[in-house]
Amino acid sequence: MIEPDIIRDEEMELLLRDIADLYDYDFTQYTRSSLRRRLNRICMLDKFTSFAELRYRITKDPAYLTRFIEEVTVNVTEMFRDPGFYKTLRDHILPTLGTHPFIRVWVAGCSTGEEAYSVAILLKEAKLYHKSLIYATDINPGVIEKASRGIFQAGPIKQYSENYMLSGGTEDFSSYYLSRYDVVKFDEALSEKMIFSTHNLVSDSSFNEFQLILCRNVLIYFDKDLQSKVLKLFDDSLQTFGFLALGSKETLRHSVVESKYKQLSGKKYGRKPVK
Amino acid sequence: MEENQLNSIPLPDKPATEILLIGGSAGSISVLLEIIPQLDKELSFPVIIILHRKAHPESNLSELLQFHSSLPLFEVEDKMILNNGCIYLAPADYHLLLENKGQIALDSSEKINYSRPSIDVSFQSAAVLFKQHTAGLLLSGANADGMEGLRCIEQYKGLVLVQDPVSAEFGYMPKQTLLNLEADAVLKPAQMAFFINRLNKKSNLNELLLYNFI
């Protein structure tokens, strides 16, 4: 079922302005077609029958903002999403990363953490986890809290297990978690080297230097200018010879940093060339 | 089919088409393979294809369609520019949206009707922007995705086209749609390319001349 379209362009601009003025969240450079869907969806979920009602609630009720941020951002993710991508990571990237004395990974826009746990599993199997740190960040405090608990719905686990095998995994996937009723809890050893924190790609700056940055299916929600700004942020945060991993349909083409990266084996991996 | 038989479907009296979206599920690849090779090389609008497909980005559906197309055909990447006379295929595991009349955006949010890409989502997104200049064609399929999107196009007074259920490998989707909506034309696969070509501005003109001549 698609949501009825009740929000006009001018109204959306008005609301984004309000939020930027009143709160520390700036959505004015987000992809409009996607935002429009999210706003219509929020109106449906929270039973606002008009745009005016939604706007009133957001501007008058700061407590509602948390809920709004959680729903306006897309938090659809899965473990080992695009198994081919993880296979490249496993077979081609990790062996190179292994030559570093210490590996810092940034999962930007980590949502509820499924990708961070996937990377942790790969690092563990490559026997590199002991010398790694995974920084998992998201704009949304609610999902960071969930990610840090390492508890996921059991429903999609079968799919994750298939993805894991397609990514070249040979262990028994169920050895990484404990099932209880309708949830699974991932082994705490996997989150040992994870640091969870909120980070807003729009307004926050670089906070470390990394060998690998994953930011998959986040840039699609940004317009071209914001994409460039964020790619610059990643570029500033990536060590020479570092790797940048984007979603399968995201691209560095026509971006400011394009010339500094080389795409690896059909996957969206950029690598800084020898300087 | 004979040329005059193809010609017999009246072209609805609608504003010029600025975008055509084709949505299909089970049983629609063979229909596309019949349409695509026969499309005019200089279509005056872009064509967007939304197909339900497995969520593997490595799938070679775009190569297959490319092979049969004389028009440039792209599997969509984020923020791709939309050009007339080009065909755009929604990638697996993303919803395809229109950011503005010249740019496509992708979205990896929740599945709609158990589908990503969802036909409804793309049809709606196009209708909101292109309004009465939107044309939507719904092909064979066995689920419910597509009808609400066509309804949206209908509400904006765009062109509603449905595959003749009798000709569909899976007639459920077109059949349900025809029970609920008034289609501007119900088409068999062999008629589709010809019909689409007649939506073309230039060939519209030719057609008028042809009719006068006859």
Side-chain angles (χ1 to χ4, degrees), chain A residues 33-34 217 221 227 249, chain B residues 75 78-79 94 99 107-108:
Chain A
S33 47
S34 222
N217 300 313
Y221 301 112
Q227 284 184 0
K249 294 298 162 191
Chain B
E75 181 161 274
D78 181 47
K79 305 294 183 303
Y94 290 92
E99 177 65 3
D107 176 318
S108 72

Side-chain angles (χ1 to χ4, degrees), chain B residues 139-150:
Chain B
L139 304 179
S140 165
N143 72 358
D145 188 36
M147 185 175 81
E148 290 305 321
L150 269 188

Side-chain angles (χ1 to χ4, degrees), chain A residues 80-105:
Chain A
F80 297 97
R81 179 178 188 172
D82 306 336
F85 162 83
Y86 280 95
K87 193 159 172 40
T88 307
L89 192 57
R90 189 192 288 274
D91 296 345
H92 301 290
I93 313 296
L94 291 192
T96 313
L97 291 185
T99 61
H100 292 273
F102 196 75
I103 305 166
R104 273 185 301 267
V105 180

Side-chain angles (χ1 to χ4, degrees), chain A residues 134-254:
Chain A
I134 299 174
Y135 294 76
T137 67
D138 201 278
I139 183 181
N140 180 345
V143 293
I144 284 295
E145 161 68 21
K146 277 185 198 149
S148 66
R149 273 183 268 145
I151 297 173
F152 301 105
Q153 290 300 312
I157 282 288
K158 189 170 163 279
Q159 174 70 46
Y160 297 172
S161 175
E162 279 167 24
N163 287 353
Y164 165 77
M165 282 188 289
L166 286 170
S167 80
T170 52
E171 303 291 315
D172 178 3
F173 190 61
S174 65
S175 66
Y176 288 113
Y177 59 82
L178 288 173
S179 295
R180 183 158 297 176
Y181 304 109
D182 55 349
V183 293
V184 300
K185 178 161 180 23
F186 273 80
D187 188 350
E188 273 172 22
L190 286 175
S191 51
E192 225 164 56
K193 304 281 191 140
M194 285 185 199
I195 296 165
F196 296 97
S197 164
T198 54
H199 181 278
N200 187 341
L201 290 169
V202 178
S203 50
D204 294 336
S205 51
S206 172
F207 57 95
N208 212 326
E209 208 177 45
F210 303 91
Q211 281 81 32
L212 170 64
I213 298 177
L214 282 94
C215 183
R216 307 186 65 230
N217 300 313
V218 176
L219 294 180
I220 48 175
Y221 301 112
F222 299 165
D223 72 16
K224 278 280 178 192
D225 287 342
L226 182 55
Q227 284 184 0
S228 286
K229 189 182 150 193
V230 173
L231 286 172
K232 180 83 177 43
L233 168 69
F234 291 154
D235 192 53
D236 291 340
S237 313
L238 204 57
Q239 220 176 54
T240 315
F241 303 124
F243 296 91
L244 175 63
L246 304 178
S248 63
K249 294 298 162 191
E250 292 170 325
T251 170
L252 289 179
R253 223 170 296 146
H254 309 303

Side-chain angles (χ1 to χ4, degrees), chain B residues 42 58 63 68 80 99 151 159 167 197 211:
Chain B
E42 287 167 42
E58 292 86 3
E63 282 85 4
H68 291 274
M80 201 172 234
E99 177 65 3
R151 197 194 296 281
L159 191 61
S167 71
N197 290 338
Y211 277 125

